[in-house]
Amino acid sequence: MAFVFADTTDTKVSNAVAVLEKAGRRYWASRRYDTYHRGITARDYGQAVPVLVTTLERLQERGADAAVWRRLGREGEQKLTAALDNPDGDALYLRQAAHADAEAKQRRAAEREARRPVCTRCGAKFTPRCRV
């Protein structure tokens, strides 16, 4: 959804954007992923509606493909494709979840290795090939 403000002042635009951000937060804001992984900072945009704002003057001066769009919940102006993108969304979640899975696998392997019994004769850890 895009709001293009025309024939208005920057103060009025800022006030309108503040009202939009506050009143519509539950519609445009991302949510935390419901995951058992700790340390996931990615955001879930599955139900979020991207809301963009700009002014007609900026569009006429710089064009629609310039950095004139501001997405609610973000700072600064971006190009349209960047404003619609969710760099902290699904792709980041997949990378973070894969990293968390790899760390958990390493941790389990280290715990398993620590529990493995030691030979009383030679002091080496038992392996499936050890002979008694």
Side-chain angles (χ1 to χ4, degrees):
M1 179 180 299
F3 290 90
V4 179
F5 296 97
D7 297 327
T8 188
T9 65
D10 286 339
T11 303
K12 287 181 181 179
V13 171
S14 296
N15 291 340
V17 168
V19 169
L20 283 171
E21 282 187 315
K22 187 175 180 182
R25 182 170 196 75
R26 65 180 173 166
Y27 301 108
W28 60 260
S30 61
R31 293 169 177 77
R32 295 181 67 160
Y33 275 97
D34 184 23
T35 180
Y36 61 88
H37 292 299
R38 293 169 56 182
I40 299 287
T41 60
R43 305 295 295 173
D44 182 3
Y45 290 89
Q47 299 296 318
V49 176
V51 179
L52 310 176
V53 296
T54 192
T55 64
L56 184 59
E57 292 77 22
R58 286 187 190 117
L59 286 173
Q60 290 172 335
E61 288 172 10
R62 299 186 230 160
D65 59 341
V68 296
W69 301 98
R70 179 172 173 259
R71 183 168 173 172
L72 296 190
R74 297 185 187 171
E75 295 296 321
E77 294 177 334
Q78 301 173 299
K79 289 187 173 191
L80 182 60
T81 54
L84 292 173
D85 191 21
N86 300 317
D88 58 342
D90 293 340
L92 177 61
Y93 174 79
L94 292 174
R95 286 192 309 272
Q96 289 178 334
H99 181 70
D101 287 340
E103 284 181 342
K105 185 177 179 180
Q106 288 176 344
R107 187 176 57 253
R108 286 190 305 272
E111 290 168 355
R112 193 172 43 254
E113 179 67 20
R115 288 191 310 265
R116 202 165 53 141
V118 176
C119 176
T120 55
R121 267 187 305 144
C122 68
K125 297 266 187 178
F126 281 116
T127 65
R129 295 185 212 173
C130 283
R131 294 184 201 144
V132 180

